[in-house]
Amino acid sequence: MTSVNVLAPGVADARGQYAGEFRRPAGQKKGCAARTPNPNRETQMIVINGREIETDAEGYLARLDDWSEDLASQLAQQDNLPLTADHWKLLNWIRAYYQENGTAPNLRVMQKLLKDELGEEWSDKRRLFDLFPYGPAKQGARYAGMPKPTGCV
């Protein structure tokens, strides 16, 4: 781990709070918030075809094997977002990316690879946000049954 002193120990910040050391995991870029699992996280249950499926408070699946197209459709319906053929094309791409790389793609990776794999129009950030207005990487990963993308999204 790389250690970065935010404030010297014993020195108060502008709010009068004392700060120690902030440890950034090796390889994490400056400015990206670290994500650590919260054992006390809030969970929710979604019922799909009579089956209860556990999600976290943000709607990401607790078990990736619980994903189905019906689940994606219900999540989209909760957001008042009808899924079109373009939505499904992107959701299937996200799922394939995850299977190959073991992580959900962030927006920059999506734009670069979509341009190469699906054509120039798929790399347009506005088009991706038109499809998933709450964020192509986050909302797309949630509908695709993937974990929340890491890094800055």
Side-chain angles (χ1 to χ4, degrees):
M1 278 193 178
T2 304
S3 179
V4 178
N5 283 328
V6 176
L7 290 175
V11 176
D13 66 7
R15 297 170 294 183
Q17 296 176 341
Y18 290 90
E21 285 188 348
F22 168 76
R23 294 196 183 275
R24 181 180 301 122
Q28 181 182 354
K29 294 179 182 175
K30 190 175 182 179
C32 294
R35 290 194 173 84
T36 56
N38 181 356
N40 300 320
R41 76 178 204 270
E42 189 178 316
T43 62
Q44 300 176 15
M45 299 302 281
I46 297 175
V47 179
I48 304 286
N49 299 327
R51 185 170 158 233
E52 287 190 348
I53 297 173
E54 183 182 2
T55 69
D56 68 11
E58 295 179 86
Y60 292 92
L61 294 180
R63 289 176 302 280
L64 304 183
D65 292 340
D66 286 338
W67 185 83
S68 68
E69 289 186 1
D70 289 339
L71 173 74
S73 295
Q74 183 163 335
L75 292 172
Q77 187 177 18
Q78 289 173 352
D79 292 341
N80 294 318
L81 183 68
L83 295 179
T84 65
D86 282 348
H87 287 97
W88 286 111
K89 191 173 197 173
L90 190 54
L91 292 176
N92 289 323
W93 183 88
I94 291 169
R95 290 186 60 77
Y97 179 91
Y98 182 84
Q99 278 199 308
E100 187 175 318
N101 298 287
T103 184
N106 66 35
L107 182 58
R108 287 183 187 160
V109 169
M110 286 177 76
Q111 286 181 274
K112 181 179 180 346
L113 295 178
L114 286 170
K115 178 181 180 181
D116 295 341
E117 295 176 27
L118 300 178
E120 180 79 33
E121 68 276 5
W122 284 91
S123 68
D124 181 25
K125 189 185 288 188
R126 276 178 270 164
R127 179 169 193 222
L128 296 174
F129 272 92
D130 284 344
L131 290 171
F132 295 105
Y134 295 114
K138 287 183 181 180
Q139 191 176 26
R142 189 166 59 92
Y143 291 0
M146 301 295 100
K148 188 174 185 177
T150 58
C152 296
V153 290

